[in-house]
Amino acid sequence: MQASPPSDGLRTSLHDRGQRLTPQRQRVLQLFERIGEGSHLSAEEVHQRLLRSDERVSLATVYRTLRLLSSMGLLQELELPEGGRRFELASDAHRDHHHLVCVRCGQTEEFESDAVLSAGEQAAAGHGFRLLECVLNVRALCPRCSAAEQL
Amino acid sequence: MQASPPSDGLRTSLHDRGQRLTPQRQRVLQLFERIGEGSHLSAEEVHQRLLRSDERVSLATVYRTLRLLSSMGLLQELELPEGGRRFELASDAHRDHHHLVCVRCGQTEEFESDAVLSAGEQAAAGHGFRLLECVLNVRALCPRCSAAEQL
DNA sequence: GTCGATGCAAAGGCTTTGCACAGCC
DNA sequence: GGCTGTGCAAAGCCTTTGCATCGAC
């Protein structure tokens, strides 16, 4: 009894693009599936985590794979300037997927909002654009840092 | 007849922080004022534009100044991963300031939305955060690129 | 005159790339 | 077996930093 092997979907998607299923690509994607949808990892973190579980993948390949999986729509790149490029598992639910970030300590909370999605859809439609993804970044101060700033 | 000298506000803000008003800092800020609120420039572009108008500022100083002016709240950094870090003139109106970006060709449209701002405020309040800025990035395909993708 | 700011060039991250070898199909 | 993917190391951005000099106050 095991979860449906994720390799199948991946293999097919790759095949359609004339590309191959390799252990490295599986390892990267499975890592994201293991940690779940909410988590954002940098390339370096992906590399470290794979090494820790004895799954050898070179850093260059991590970069190549993150780019590939993003272009295939399986991962998506986050837009949080504080702290570099990060990736997370893509999902339809995440077309509307927002971040509340403390600009001082980096604490990040996620939230969803139909209001935001429909505002995004309206804006896109108004300019004749086709919406792909809609991400609201709220830069803020968390309670602790907000208190610290008052001093 | 000239617009109120921007140096005064800048001089005061700098003074309060024990810092000095230099020609370089004025040039950078004035450049942003000249091009208006909607425009996003990278450090390199700021440098190039200043050189073109014979205002000599080293690239290192451009970086230092962009960082300084941002930390003073006079400029703000954009969050558009496609195409590197960019800055624009800050203004209160821009606390709520959104981008519709074509992921294929980079065409960018701006829009505003009260609905988005209030969603951001709600989210911040719900977690006890103090909102600073609220930016919605809508990744999409512009009409031209959308058509091209259908082929 | 003092102390912060600048310019230059060098150092620093992070990311991509060239090339030979390995391994998927 | 062909041709794509990988690993390694080198190269390439973009950005920051050290240090001597300059200049705002």
Side-chain angles (χ1 to χ4, degrees), chain A residues 22-28 31 42-52 54-67:
Chain A
T22 64
Q24 289 85 343
R25 289 172 178 177
Q26 288 185 66
R27 286 175 195 152
V28 171
L31 170 60
S42 66
E44 187 56 43
E45 284 168 355
V46 169
H47 187 226
Q48 288 305 320
R49 283 183 185 238
L50 291 175
L51 288 188
R52 257 181 264 141
D54 273 321
E55 302 178 282
R56 183 157 292 286
V57 182
S58 77
L59 184 56
T61 295
V62 169
Y63 276 106
R64 284 187 279 233
T65 304
L66 290 174
R67 192 211 270 264

Side-chain angles (χ1 to χ4, degrees), chain A residues 11-19:
Chain A
R11 161 171 273 125
T12 311
S13 315
L14 286 167
H15 213 262
D16 293 349
R17 305 170 46 123
Q19 289 170 317

Side-chain angles (χ1 to χ4, degrees), chain A residues 59-79:
Chain A
L59 184 56
T61 295
V62 169
Y63 276 106
R64 284 187 279 233
T65 304
L66 290 174
R67 192 211 270 264
L68 174 67
L69 295 177
S70 297
S71 77
M72 293 171 55
L74 295 174
L75 294 181
Q76 59 190 47
E77 195 170 334
L78 295 183
E79 318 196 354

